[in-house]
Each structure stands twice: as C-alpha cells, then as structure tokens.
Amino acid sequence: MEEIQVDVLQIRGTSFRNGYIQGKQLNRELMHTFSIMEENDRNAEAVIPIYQELAPHSVDELHGLADGLANPFFKSGNIIWWI
C-alpha cells in the first residue's frame, strides 16, 4: 500500500489570523495553478454578500488568507471557491 503523508496545521485565534497563517503556508505552485483557473472567475463579488450573511467569519478568514498570500482579496478568494 502506498504511504500517504499529510501535513496538519492547527491554528487558534480569530478567523482573520487563521486565514493569514493558512496563506503563509500555501505552496506558491498551488497559487500558480489557481491563477490559471482565475480566467474562469466565478463572479466572487456577487458571492461575498451571501457569505457575509451566512458565515461572516469565512469572509474574515478570506481577508486573512489574502494578506497572508500578499494577494488581492478576490484573487485569494478564488482558491476557496474552486475547492
């Protein structure tokens, strides 16, 4: 059987801080892959009000992710919406 290795990152704190730390941990190759997919944008601006109403902490986490990746908010948000 093939051995599988998984990295586990346990984070405690605010949603923003959790997103920021995740952004710092993401592989830059993964970011390149998502930048290619960005051409098929899912209209992220239209989705934010829905997330804000149903799960506002998710929007805070996306802002942290964007800061951790040093990328614009909507570009970083595309990662989450593609997963």
Side-chain angles (χ1 to χ4, degrees):
M1 180 176 237
E2 183 180 343
E3 186 175 314
I4 299 173
Q5 181 178 346
V6 178
D7 294 326
V8 177
L9 179 63
Q10 182 176 352
I11 308 169
R12 292 196 176 125
T14 65
S15 295
F16 180 90
R17 181 177 176 277
N18 295 345
Y20 182 83
I21 292 171
Q22 290 174 53
K24 288 293 188 186
Q25 296 292 321
L26 274 178
N27 185 329
R28 290 294 167 180
E29 283 186 36
L30 180 65
M31 286 303 301
H32 175 70
T33 300
F34 281 109
S35 70
I36 293 169
M37 295 165 61
E38 196 174 51
E39 296 170 7
N40 300 318
D41 193 341
R42 292 185 176 195
N43 195 5
E45 291 183 49
V47 175
I48 291 297
I50 297 167
Y51 273 83
Q52 193 66 50
E53 183 178 333
L54 299 175
H57 61 281
S58 295
V59 177
D60 290 341
E61 190 167 336
L62 286 174
H63 279 288
L65 181 69
D67 282 5
L69 291 168
N71 280 328
F73 173 73
F74 288 110
K75 182 176 181 179
S76 300
N78 282 337
I79 293 172
I80 303 303
W81 294 305
W82 278 103
I83 294 178

